[in-house]
Structures are given as structure tokens and as C-alpha cells.
């Protein structure tokens, strides 16, 4: 099979800390609107806008089904368009940074809070789809695909994965720890403060995207050959035989459902189960700290022991601790936070290396097919994560409604029933814990790219490109 036109940029500077910091700020920007949505969207539309939780959950699921088309469409668009002087992926960050920030802010504007129920549902639907299925897709797919174009070396890609995880974690730390004291007043969201918080996140997102845009550089450029590029159907058939991608998608679905289910019920846990919304910030700091602690030596550990191998250990430990916490039925916030910190050590390991794992899957696709379909494959993986988020939101919305959560009681500042509180606690711990264990099992027994196979694929591709005089690879 012919080479897909892979080459190095002519004036590429050496890969270094500038690229890492720039890539960090890319996910920092992404997650200012993403985590704002995952942490506050459900509770904002139930407690402020008065929307039934089941209706919110249904929207989250429908939107992610729509993303099956917008994500893959965006990925394929990137793969077939000729790159600009700045590469294939980076230009999209500059084009879409303002639209995604504006759309993210619009989701939390209370313009129609006093309108009819139908108008409120329509506003919620339009703003959420505009943000997630259009604007966020148009910047996140190029950003995530770009890692494989910044460098082809496994250690460089592992370090980019670490810095991406740091960026996302810093945004989550801000959203989940700094914002709750700002937006919650007497265990209830204040609508004016929520508006201010959304505006702050939008401005911060644009600043972060700009920092990313001016600091990263694409070194590996793939120029599509229109005559030889596989048809979309043939490409999907090849991707469908990519065992590494399929098992990673399965693992990602379980992992994302677990983590997003926890995130979606966090506000309910602290304001209703513990009746201490102020502790939510402390808990989220505890959840974020393991990423910051592990980041310094994550690349060395991943290269020494293998990304798959340490991910299995991390997921298994997180699952066991989560299930144990549910059995203990904890009512002490401090004790809960201590165990929550331990649980998040395992989650942090997987979160840090997952993006490097994905670049291994991109290489595996090229080894199999000879085609470099980075945008499309990343889009498929990204959609699987979004589908997991939607399933979590749908499950959370339906389950919170099913256990008897009353938005009327919440708006009045009252206390939910005991059965409702027990249901929230179960949703926060037991269901995610089981899913973490399933994720570990999928990676252990299904995912084929252990440390040895990753190195063999890297050497295969280097030899293949070196044998083609028209192809050079940036170092």
C-alpha cells in the first residue's frame, strides 16, 4: 500500500517544553466549558430553570447520538483537506476558540427563566447542541488529533499526554473547587453568580486557546493523496478491524460513564447527602491532587512499565476503593474525602496516559492499513467518550428522578427523602466502582498494545518511512 504522504515540516524547531506547555493550555481551554457543563449543567437546569431531571438527561443522550455524525464528519474533513502552512489541526484552534466560548456561556444565561416550560426546554436544547455538537466538536477533534503530528516519538507523546492531563485537571480544579463557593449560597445555586462564573470561564477558555495556538508546532504533516486516499466506506471498514481502537472505545465508554456519573451527582451528594456544599471544593481538590503528584514521573513510569499495564492497575484499584466506600455508608465528610483521594489515584493514572495510548492506536492503524487517518480515528474515539458522557448524563438524570429527587423541594431549600439520598450515594459510588472494574478487565484481556507491541509498531513505522526517500520524520 502506498505511503499516505507523511513528511516533516521544513523549519520545525526541536520538540520541547514550549510544545508541552502550549498543549497543556489547549485542554485547559477545552475543559473550562466542558467541566462547567458536566459539573453544573444538570443542577442548573433542575434547580434554576425548573426542568425535570429526566428531560435534561434525555437531551444529553440525544446530543451525543448526533455527535456520531458531527464528530466523525469533522474528523474526516480534517483528514481530506490539505494542510495550511501551520498544519492540519492547529488552525482550527484559532478559528473556533471564540465561538466555543460564547456557546458555552450561553448555556448558563437565565434569559428565559420565567418563560413557559416549553420555551425553557427549547432554549436548553438549542444552546447545548450549539456548544457541544457544533463548536466544541470543531475545536476538540483537531486539538486531540494534533498530538500525533507534534512528534512521532513515544516518549514525546507520553509527555504530551501528561501535560494534556495536567491542563484538563487544572481546569477541573478551578471549576469544581473555586466555583462552588462562588455560585452556591445557603446550599442553593445563585443565578446571578452562576452567570458571572460562566462568563469568567468563557474568557479564560479563549485566553488558554490562544496560548496553545502560538506555542505548539506540527512537525509530522500528512498530505492527503486524493487519487489514492481510501474511500470513506473502505476506511471505516479498516477502522472496524482495528482491535486496539475497538477495545479502547469499550474501555473509554465504561470509564467515562463512571467518572461523569460521579461528576453529574457531585453537587447532589454534597448539598443533599452531606448537607455541606462547602466541602465540595475540598473534595474536588483531593480528587485533582493525584494527577498533580503523578504527573512529574508519569512519563518515566509509562515508558518503563507500559501504558496499558499501569492503566489496568489504576482502574482496578479505583474500582475496589469505590465499592468499599459505598459499603461503608460514610457520613463523615473528612473520612469520605480521605478515601476519595485514594480512589482518585487510580483514576489519575488512567487519565494521564490515555492520550498517549490513543496515539499508539493511531500508529497501529497505520501499521495495519498504510493510511494515516488521525482525524477520523480520534473523532471515533472522541465520540465514544461523548457517548459515555451522554449515557452518564442520561442515567444520572433518569436515576435522580427515579429515586424521587424533587426540584420543587430543591428550589424551596428543603431536604430530600432518605430513599432519595441513598440513591444519590449509590449513583456516586457503587455504579462507578463496578464500571471501573469492567474498564480494567477490558484493558487487561482485550486491548492488544502492551509495552512491547507499542515499541515494535514504532520501529516498524520508522523503518517504513526511512525506506521512502520522499518521507522525512521530525525528531
Amino acid at each position: 500500500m502506498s505511503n499516505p504522504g507523511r513528511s516533516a515540516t521544513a523549519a520545525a524547531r526541536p520538540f520541547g517544553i514550549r510544545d508541552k506547555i502550549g498543549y497543556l493550555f489547549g485542554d485547559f481551554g477545552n475543559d473550562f466549558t466542558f467541566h462547567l457543563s458536566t459539573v453544573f449543567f444538570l443542577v442548573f437546569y433542575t434547580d434554576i430553570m425548573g426542568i425535570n431531571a429526566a428531560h435534561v438527561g434525555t437531551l444529553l443522550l440525544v446530543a451525543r447520538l448526533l455527535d456520531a455524525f458531527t464528530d466523525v464528519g469533522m474528523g474526516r474533513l480534517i483528514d481530506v483537506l490539505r494542510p495550511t502552512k501551520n498544519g492540519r489541526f492547529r488552525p482550527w484552534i484559532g478559528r473556533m476558540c471564540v465561538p466555543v466560548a460564547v456557546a458555552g456561556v450561553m448555556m448558563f444565561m437565565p434569559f428565559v427563566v420565567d418563560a413557559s416550560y416549553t420555551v425553557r426546554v427549547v432554549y436548553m436544547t438549542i444552546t447545548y447542541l450549539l456548544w457541544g455538537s457544533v463548536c466544541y466538536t470543531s475545536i476538540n477533534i483537531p486539538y486531540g488529533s494534533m498530538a500525533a503530528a507534534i512528534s512521532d516519538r513515544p516518549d514525546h507523546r507520553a509527555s504530551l499526554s501528561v501535560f494534556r492531563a495536567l491542563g484538563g485537571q487544572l481546569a477541573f480544579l478551578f471549576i469544581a473547587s473555586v466555583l462552588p463557593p462562588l455560585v452556591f449560597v445557603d446550599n442553593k445555586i445563585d443565578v446571578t453568580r452562576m452567570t458571572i462564573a460562566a462568563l469568567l470561564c468563557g474568557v479564560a477558555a479563549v485566553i488558554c486557546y490562544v496560548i496553545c495556538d502560538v506555542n505548539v508546532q506540527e512537525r509530522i504533516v500528512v498530505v492527503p493523496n486524493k487519487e489514492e486516499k481510501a474511500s470513506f466506506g473502505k476506511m471505516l471498514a479498516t477502522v472496524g478491524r482495528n482491535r486496539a481502537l475497538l477495545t479502547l472505545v469499550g474501555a473509554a465508554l465504561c470509564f467515562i460513564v463512571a467518572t461523569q456519573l460521579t461528576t453529574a451527582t457531585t453537587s447532589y451528594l454534597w448539598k443533599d447527602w452531606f448537607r455541606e456544599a462547602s466541602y465540595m471544593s475540598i473534595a474536588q481538590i483531593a480528587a485533582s491532587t493525584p494527577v498533580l503528584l503523578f504527573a512529574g514521573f508519569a512519563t518515566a513510569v509509562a515508558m518503563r512499565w507500559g501504558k496499558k499495564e499501569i492503566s489496568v492497575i489504576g482502574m482496578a484499584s479505583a474500582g475496589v476503593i469505590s465499592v468499599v466506600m459505598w459499603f461503608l455508608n460514610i457520613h463523615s465528610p473528612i473520612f469520605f474525602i480521605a478515601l476519595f483521594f485514594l480512589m482518585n489515584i487510580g483514576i489519575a493514572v488512567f487519565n494521564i496516559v490515555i492520550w498517549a495510548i490513543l496515539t499508539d492506536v493511531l500508529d497501529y492503524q497505520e501499521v495495519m492499513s498504510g493510511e494515516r487517518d488521525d482525524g477520523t480515528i480520534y473523532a471515533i474515539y472522541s465520540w465514544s467518550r461523548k457517548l459515555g458522557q451522554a449515557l452518564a448524563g442520561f442515567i444520572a438524570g433518569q436515576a435522580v428522578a427515579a429515586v424521587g429527587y424533587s426540584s420543587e423541594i430543591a428550589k424551596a431549600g428543603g431536604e430530600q427523602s432518605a430513599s432519595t439520598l441513598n440513591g444519590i450515594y449509590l449513583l456516586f459510588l457503587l455504579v462507578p466502582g463496578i464500571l471501573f472494574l469492567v474498564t480494567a478487565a477490558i484493558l487487561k484481556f482485550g486491548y492488544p498494545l502492551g509495552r512491547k507491541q507499542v515499541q515494535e509498531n514504532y520501529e516498524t513505522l520508522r523503518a517504513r518511512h526511512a525506506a521512502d526517500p520522499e518521507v522525512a520524520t521530525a525528531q
Side-chain angles (χ1 to χ4, degrees):
M1 185 173 293
S2 63
N3 190 282
R6 177 184 173 122
S7 65
T9 54
R13 67 174 186 271
F15 176 87
I17 189 63
R18 180 176 172 183
D19 295 282
K20 299 176 188 179
I21 296 297
Y23 204 64
L24 178 153
F25 272 97
D27 214 37
F28 207 168
N30 270 343
D31 286 344
F32 265 115
T33 59
F34 174 76
H35 284 313
L36 185 70
S37 172
T38 56
V39 174
F40 292 106
F41 187 81
L42 179 58
V43 71
F44 175 78
Y45 276 94
T46 56
D47 290 15
I48 296 299
M49 303 295 279
I51 306 297
N52 185 287
H55 294 162
V56 182
T58 300
L59 169 62
L60 299 180
L61 181 61
V62 171
R64 297 296 78 84
L65 294 176
L66 176 62
D67 286 348
F69 301 96
T70 59
D71 278 15
V72 175
M74 186 65 195
R76 191 59 177 170
L77 179 66
I78 295 169
D79 283 338
V80 300
L81 289 178
R82 293 189 65 83
T84 71
K85 64 179 182 179
N86 291 324
R88 285 196 297 161
F89 310 108
R90 177 183 155 198
W92 289 97
I93 296 175
R95 293 166 188 163
M96 296 305 301
C97 63
V98 173
V100 73
V102 172
V105 171
M106 290 298 295
M107 290 190 294
F108 294 93
M109 294 296 101
F111 299 138
V112 297
V113 66
D114 296 320
S116 68
Y117 190 84
T118 300
V119 171
R120 282 176 278 151
V121 170
V122 169
Y123 180 83
M124 173 185 71
T125 302
I126 291 175
T127 56
Y128 187 77
L129 292 179
L130 178 64
W131 168 73
S133 298
V134 180
C135 297
Y136 188 78
T137 286
S138 298
I139 199 167
N140 183 55
I141 299 301
Y143 167 77
S145 305
M146 186 168 59
I150 295 174
S151 175
D152 68 341
R153 284 180 45 174
D155 55 336
H156 290 173
R157 291 176 173 182
S159 65
L160 287 173
S161 182
V162 170
F163 275 78
R164 174 173 182 167
L166 278 175
Q169 203 63 40
L170 288 171
F172 178 74
L173 187 61
F174 178 85
I175 297 293
S177 62
V178 176
L179 292 194
L182 173 63
V183 303
F184 280 105
V185 178
D186 297 328
N187 276 338
K188 184 179 179 181
I189 287 185
D190 181 88
V191 63
T192 302
R193 293 185 174 202
M194 188 71 241
T195 300
I196 294 172
L199 288 169
L200 289 174
C201 288
V203 172
V206 174
I207 293 172
C208 291
Y209 282 132
V210 171
I211 294 173
C212 174
D213 186 31
V214 300
N215 283 287
V216 297
Q217 185 173 20
E218 294 183 33
R219 295 171 178 80
I220 310 301
V221 179
V222 179
V223 179
N225 187 323
K226 293 184 178 180
E227 295 180 356
E228 299 179 3
K229 189 72 176 176
S231 69
F232 185 60
K234 182 178 179 181
M235 181 276 301
L236 285 181
T238 302
V239 168
R241 296 192 297 271
N242 188 326
R243 179 185 167 195
L245 176 63
L246 297 179
T247 51
L248 183 61
V249 164
L253 272 173
C254 291
F255 176 75
I256 294 298
V257 169
T259 55
Q260 295 304 309
L261 186 58
T262 296
T263 301
T265 53
T266 293
S267 296
Y268 300 106
L269 178 81
W270 289 102
K271 74 184 185 68
D272 294 309
W273 173 268
F274 287 109
R275 299 293 293 177
E276 293 283 358
S278 60
Y279 275 93
M280 180 175 165
S281 296
I282 301 173
Q284 299 314 314
I285 292 173
S288 301
T289 302
V291 171
L292 305 179
L293 295 177
F294 183 58
F297 52 91
T299 300
V301 172
M303 297 306 295
R304 173 66 179 84
W305 299 103
K307 286 158 279 190
K308 166 187 173 177
E309 291 78 0
I310 63 174
S311 295
V312 170
I313 295 172
M315 283 292 89
S317 64
V320 169
I321 294 172
S322 186
V323 171
V324 168
M325 289 174 69
W326 176 76
F327 275 114
L328 293 177
N329 198 39
I330 303 168
H331 288 275
S332 166
I334 300 302
F335 183 44
F336 183 93
I337 290 171
L339 292 180
F340 192 54
F341 169 80
L342 296 178
M343 182 184 82
N344 275 277
I345 293 175
I347 294 174
V349 172
F350 186 70
N351 262 333
I352 285 177
V353 302
I354 183 60
W355 305 111
I357 288 176
L358 182 58
T359 58
D360 294 339
V361 174
L362 299 177
D363 284 348
Y364 183 67
Q365 174 70 9
E366 185 177 354
V367 169
M368 287 176 51
S369 68
E371 293 284 351
R372 194 76 191 181
D373 299 303
D374 292 0
T376 305
I377 293 177
Y378 182 86
I380 292 171
Y381 174 72
S382 176
W383 176 70
S384 74
R385 291 176 64 89
K386 287 186 177 182
L387 181 60
Q389 294 154 17
L391 289 172
F394 179 77
I395 292 169
Q398 299 292 333
V400 167
V403 299
Y405 185 83
S406 170
S407 57
E408 289 77 15
I409 292 176
K411 292 182 74 173
E415 185 173 350
Q416 304 290 328
S417 68
S419 61
T420 297
L421 298 179
N422 288 330
I424 290 170
Y425 192 74
L426 179 145
L427 288 173
F428 189 88
L429 288 172
L430 181 60
V431 177
I434 293 172
L435 290 172
F436 288 144
L437 294 174
V438 173
T439 302
I442 292 173
L443 291 171
K444 173 66 176 177
F445 300 108
Y447 182 71
L449 302 182
R451 184 173 66 90
K452 182 179 178 181
Q453 185 61 51
V454 167
Q455 185 61 31
E456 289 179 358
N457 288 346
Y458 169 68
E459 293 172 357
T460 296
L461 291 178
R462 295 285 287 189
R464 182 181 298 176
H465 302 148
D468 189 334
E470 297 183 357
V471 177
T473 305
Q475 300 296 321

